[in-house]
């Protein structure tokens, strides 16, 4: 058997074994060891040790625990509640105001945090009771909360982009800069869609009743200032310092975590129990990410050494598809895999397999990464592994899971639309990095 | 079965203690980098040690975190199919995977990792990527120590699955 065919067998065996429900990282390691040993002998053992150690030696990965800590502390700081309250008061007279407030809060909070879990939960807790009281449409409400809440994984700072940068081989700073406009575009699509629907069908999103409105405009301004200034400061310290080149992504993450510590102290939300919980959670997720990244780097090294990616690339180039065709196929693959899988296995296992093809076509890798990232956001919304729906159901038990699914599907159509816009107008992605670069 | 429960308890206890000792490291990690940004931007005098310190701390967090994640069930698995199996089937499959995948893979990692760290220790190797040139062999030893703890926690997880398979419930 030639090494290339061995590589194909490898991927087939692997994809069956991974579905048995055992932690991916360990299955990946042993399979790569076995197939690597058959393919090129004992060198595979040192390759594994080296792959793991080079991970421990790379300062970029220190951004992961820091972004996690920052996000977990911000959940507790009550930042989002203030922001949402302020937007709700400001927009109260508008039809569909709560939808818009959710989209705005989600987008702003996403620029201050790099993780996703909390946003959906917090938005659900804050918005759902008022939405129920004002007879907002359940599907629409669930859709905008889940879709908006998961923007945190796309809009920088984002743990997903930190992981993606080294996998694709582009700078994390470029990815951060490139993801801002697409993220805001999606938030705009979500909010805009909700507003248009509320205008056409007033019953799904009425303006808020008098008792939910503010007494004076000055009060709204005061609330808005209180809600907006702390996150703005945090965004400047973290994302700003990264984008303007004052700090590396890792240092920016440290600044963000530091800012989050200051905020949680300032809001008097700090307790040792919370710190303990956030710290252990940080440790756990960092361990999961680092170990899985090591395993998949090792897998990628073995796989490419067997020569299979080159073979696949030649076969695909021979098909005579243009770059657009290839990208569409890859995005479709990512989208479909997003139904049973979470983003981490897709980024770490699938992307390295298709990457040589993308390179062979000379496709801009930053643009490609962002397209994949936008597409991956749907992985949170597509059943059966739609984490966002479980989180929302957990805090709003009176909403039917079926309605939540249907709501999410509506917003997945919007995301597909957003992806197509980025596909045909690459400037949306590439403009900001080029401006910042000089 | 009594002995099994005792072993699981001791092994889990070890992991929880390593986690309690390791997680506060995120504070010095943050402090070092924030200090570096401030002295570099405000006083234009960057440190030569911040970068090395940051990846070393993160190396400990990442590898020891993997041990804690195993205890907490935090390692990602594709489980939407296995969720439909009965508890005992699931435990049996997991136990088989521990025997065929986890222990062989991590034992090989331990063996070759130890050689890697031992060679480095013999020559008192230093990092050549920075001007500070700190000794790098301790970090390689951290990797080995973490794998030892990972194997210990793996034994505990295997025994838990075995218990579920035999008795139908967690120890």
């Amino acid at each position: 058997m030639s090494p290339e065919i061995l590589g194909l067998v490898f991927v087939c065996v692997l994809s069956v074994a991974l579905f048995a429900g055992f932690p991916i990282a360990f299955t990946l390691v042993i399979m790569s060891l076995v197939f690597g040993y058959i393919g090129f002998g004992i060198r595979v053992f040192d390759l594994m040790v080296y792959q793991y150690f080079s991970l421990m030696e790379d300062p970029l990965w220190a951004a992961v625990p820091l972004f996690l800590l920052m996000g977990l502390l911000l959940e507790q700081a009550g930042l989002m509640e203030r922001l949402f309250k302020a937007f709700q008061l400001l927009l109260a007279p508008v039809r569909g105001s709560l939808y818009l407030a959710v989209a705005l809060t989600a987008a702003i909070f996403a620029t201050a945090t790099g993780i996703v879990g909390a946003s959906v939960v917090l938005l659900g807790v804050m918005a759902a009771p008022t939405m129920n009281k004002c007879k907002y449409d359940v599907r629409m409400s669930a859709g905008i909360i889940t879709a908006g809440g998961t923007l945190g994984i796309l809009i920088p700072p984002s743990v997903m982009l930190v992981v993606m940068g080294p996998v694709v081989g582009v700078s994390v700073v470029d990815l951060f800069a490139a993801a801002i406009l697409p993220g805001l575009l999606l938030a705009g699509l979500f909010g805009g869609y909700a507003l248009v629907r509320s205008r056409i069908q007033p019953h799904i999103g009425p303006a808020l009743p008098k008792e939910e409105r503010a007494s004076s405009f000055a009060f709204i301004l005061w609330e808005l200032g209180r809600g907006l200034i702390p996150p703005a400061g945090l965004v400047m310290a973290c994302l700003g310092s990264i984008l303007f080149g004052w700090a590396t992504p890792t240092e920016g993450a440290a600044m963000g975590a530091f800012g989050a510590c200051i905020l949680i102290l300032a809001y008097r939300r700090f307790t040792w129990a919370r710190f303990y919980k956030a710290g252990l959670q940080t440790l756990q997720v960092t361990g999961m990410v680092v170990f899985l990244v090591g395993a998949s780097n090792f897998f990628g090294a073995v796989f490419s050494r067997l020569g299979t990616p080159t073979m696949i690339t030649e076969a695909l180039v021979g098909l005579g598809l243009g770059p657009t065709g290839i990208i569409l196929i890859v995005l479709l693959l990512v989208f479909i895999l997003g139904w049973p899988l979470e983003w981490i296995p897709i980024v770490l296992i699938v992307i390295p397999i298709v990457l040589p093809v993308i390179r062979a076509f000379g496709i801009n890798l930053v643009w490609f990464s962002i397209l994949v990232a936008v597409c991956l956001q749907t992985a949170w919304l597509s059943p059966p592994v739609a984490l966002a729906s479980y989180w929302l159901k957990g805090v709003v038990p009176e909403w039917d899971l079926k309605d939540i699914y249907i709501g999410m599907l509506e917003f997945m159509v919007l995301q597909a639309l957003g992806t197509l816009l980025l596909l045909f107008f690459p400037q949306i992605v590439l403009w900001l990095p080029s401006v910042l670069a000089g | 079965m009594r002995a099994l429960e005792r072993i699981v308890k001791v092994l889990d206890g070890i992991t929880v203690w390593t986690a309690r000792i390791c997680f506060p490291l995120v504070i010095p990690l943050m402090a070092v980098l924030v200090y570096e940004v401030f002295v570099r931007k405000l006083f234009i005098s960057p440190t030569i040690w911040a970068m090395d310190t940051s990846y070393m701390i993160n190396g400990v967090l990442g590898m020891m975190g993997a041990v804690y994640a195993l205890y907490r069930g935090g390692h990602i698995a594709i489980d939407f199919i296995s969720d439909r199996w009965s508890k005992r089937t699931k435990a049996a499959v997991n136990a088989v995977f521990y025997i065929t995948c986890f222990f062989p893979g991590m034992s090989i990692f331990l063996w070759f990792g130890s050689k890697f760290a031992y060679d480095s220790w013999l020559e008192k190797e230093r990092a050549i990527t920075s001007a500070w040139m700190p000794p790098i062999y301790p970090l390689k030893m951290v990797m080995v120590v973490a794998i030892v703890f990972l194997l210990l926690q793996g034994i505990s997880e295997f025994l838990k699955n075995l218990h579920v398979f035999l008795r139908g419930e967690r120890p």
Side-chain angles (χ1 to χ4, degrees):
Chain A
M1 194 172 359
S2 76
E4 288 87 354
I5 302 298
L6 185 70
L8 275 185
V9 177
F10 179 18
V11 172
C12 294
V13 174
L14 188 67
S15 32
V16 174
L18 287 180
F19 282 90
F22 196 70
I24 295 170
F26 306 115
T27 315
L28 262 181
V29 164
I30 190 73
M31 296 274 166
S32 309
L33 280 172
V34 170
F35 281 92
Y37 186 75
I38 301 173
F40 49 88
I42 53 165
R43 274 169 303 171
V44 73
F45 300 124
D46 291 326
L47 187 63
M48 167 171 75
V49 176
Y50 177 76
Q51 289 293 342
Y52 268 97
F53 189 68
S54 63
L55 210 60
M56 294 174 75
E57 252 188 330
D58 186 347
L60 174 70
W61 293 103
V64 172
L66 292 166
F67 277 135
L68 287 170
L69 183 71
M70 174 186 173
L72 291 168
L73 289 178
L74 282 183
E75 280 175 26
Q76 318 270 0
L79 211 62
M80 212 170 177
E81 283 90 334
R82 279 161 200 263
L83 206 59
F84 182 72
K85 198 100 210 142
F87 281 130
Q88 190 184 330
L89 288 175
L90 179 71
L91 298 167
V94 184
R95 271 188 207 162
S97 57
L98 285 174
Y99 299 137
L100 202 56
V102 166
L104 276 169
T105 312
I108 292 176
F109 197 67
T111 56
T113 182
I115 58 174
V116 66
S119 307
V120 175
V121 171
L122 285 178
L123 284 171
V125 169
M126 294 180 310
T130 326
M131 285 173 154
N132 281 336
K133 205 160 70 188
C134 302
K135 303 256 179 314
Y136 270 51
D137 183 56
V138 170
R139 293 173 179 176
M140 192 82 180
S141 306
I144 202 153
I145 289 175
T146 48
T150 48
L151 277 175
I153 201 69
L154 177 66
I155 297 182
S158 142
V159 173
M160 178 163 83
L161 295 178
V162 172
V163 173
M164 221 166 183
V167 169
V168 181
V170 292
S171 107
V172 173
V173 181
D174 281 347
L175 283 186
F176 277 13
I180 293 178
L181 288 180
L184 297 181
L185 173 78
L186 279 183
L189 279 177
F190 297 163
Y193 171 68
L195 276 191
V196 170
R197 281 280 306 268
S198 309
R199 192 140 295 271
I200 302 171
Q201 304 163 276
H203 63 278
I204 70 165
L208 298 191
K210 278 279 179 290
E211 67 266 22
E212 298 280 341
R213 297 186 193 180
S215 45
S216 73
F217 192 66
F219 180 69
I220 296 179
L221 273 184
W222 166 246
E223 283 292 312
L224 207 57
R226 281 205 332 166
L228 267 175
I229 290 167
L234 198 65
V235 169
M236 268 318 287
C238 175
L239 189 57
S241 62
I242 298 172
L243 290 183
F244 294 126
W246 300 337
T248 64
T250 311
E251 288 163 350
M255 298 293 283
F258 185 60
C261 287
I262 292 179
L263 279 181
I264 198 171
L265 285 171
Y267 285 145
R268 298 175 198 283
R269 293 287 192 98
F270 180 87
T271 63
W272 284 107
R274 280 180 183 154
F275 173 70
Y276 184 71
K277 208 178 135 209
L280 280 179
Q281 184 75 17
T282 302
L283 182 71
Q284 177 185 332
V285 179
T286 307
M288 182 273 285
V289 171
V290 166
F291 210 80
L292 188 55
V293 170
S296 75
N297 283 353
F298 175 46
F299 157 74
V302 169
F303 188 61
S304 63
R305 187 144 190 171
L306 291 172
T308 319
T310 323
M311 189 182 78
I312 298 176
T313 308
E314 279 161 9
L316 280 174
V317 173
L319 281 181
L321 291 163
T324 316
I326 288 294
I327 290 189
L328 274 175
I329 290 177
V330 170
L331 290 180
L332 198 65
L333 182 74
V334 167
F335 175 76
I336 292 169
L337 286 171
W339 291 66
L341 304 182
E342 289 173 54
W343 67 267
I344 296 185
I346 299 179
V347 168
L348 291 178
I349 303 172
V350 179
I351 297 304
I353 295 179
V354 299
L355 197 59
V357 186
I358 302 299
R359 282 224 180 87
F361 276 97
I363 293 164
N364 184 313
L365 290 175
V366 171
W367 179 52
F368 170 72
S369 307
I370 298 300
L371 284 172
V372 171
V374 173
C375 208
L376 270 178
Q377 205 211 333
T378 58
W380 298 87
L381 306 177
S382 46
V385 190
L387 292 176
S389 67
Y390 307 136
W391 292 327
L392 186 60
K393 177 79 182 162
V395 289
V396 198
E398 65 269 29
W399 285 357
D400 196 18
L401 201 54
K402 201 184 95 212
D403 286 331
I404 298 182
Y405 281 159
I406 295 175
M408 292 194 308
L409 288 178
E410 280 177 30
F411 281 83
M412 271 164 69
V413 174
L414 289 179
Q415 282 181 317
L417 188 70
T419 314
L420 287 179
L421 278 176
L422 301 181
L423 189 63
F424 292 111
F425 303 99
Q427 310 89 293
I428 307 173
V429 177
L430 298 173
W431 177 73
L432 202 56
S434 70
V435 170
L436 286 170
Chain B
M1 280 299 147
R2 261 297 176 54
L4 186 151
E5 280 163 29
R6 284 244 296 279
I7 297 171
V8 165
K9 214 169 166 187
V10 169
L11 293 176
D12 284 358
I14 295 174
T15 297
V16 169
W17 270 106
T18 59
R20 281 182 190 158
I21 292 165
C22 289
F23 89 83
L25 282 173
V26 73
I27 298 299
L29 173 62
M30 179 179 83
V32 161
L33 289 167
V34 170
Y35 178 80
E36 160 74 14
V37 172
F38 276 103
V39 296
R40 194 178 60 215
K41 288 320 285 184
L42 294 181
F43 310 111
I44 320 183
S45 63
T47 66
I48 59 167
W49 45 265
M51 190 192 79
D52 295 284
T53 319
S54 71
Y55 72 69
M56 285 187 183
I57 297 176
N58 185 56
V60 179
L61 282 177
M63 293 305 278
M64 292 309 291
V67 182
Y68 184 64
L70 188 61
Y71 164 67
R72 291 292 306 263
H75 284 288
I76 288 199
I78 303 175
D79 49 11
F80 73 101
I81 295 175
S82 59
D83 275 349
R84 290 174 199 175
W85 302 343
S86 74
K87 244 161 75 182
R88 288 188 60 183
T89 317
K90 215 170 156 179
V93 171
N94 271 337
V96 169
F97 267 83
Y98 270 104
I99 297 280
T100 55
C101 292
F102 181 89
F103 292 122
M106 292 305 112
S107 305
I108 293 172
F109 197 165
L110 179 62
W111 178 253
F112 285 89
S114 306
K115 268 176 54 177
F116 182 67
Y118 182 68
D119 291 346
S120 173
W121 176 71
L122 278 185
E123 57 185 73
K124 297 283 180 287
E125 186 189 358
R126 286 170 173 274
I128 47 165
T129 45
S130 81
W132 191 39
M133 291 187 70
I136 198 72
Y137 62 90
L139 192 62
K140 296 189 174 177
M141 290 176 178
V142 165
M143 183 168 73
V144 177
V145 171
I147 295 300
V148 171
F149 281 119
L150 194 65
L151 274 165
L152 288 178
Q153 186 56 37
I155 293 172
S156 165
E157 296 301 318
F158 168 69
L159 291 177
K160 282 178 208 165
N161 279 303
L162 199 64
H163 195 279
V164 173
F165 176 63
L166 295 174
R167 291 290 170 89
E169 59 185 12
R170 285 173 73 85

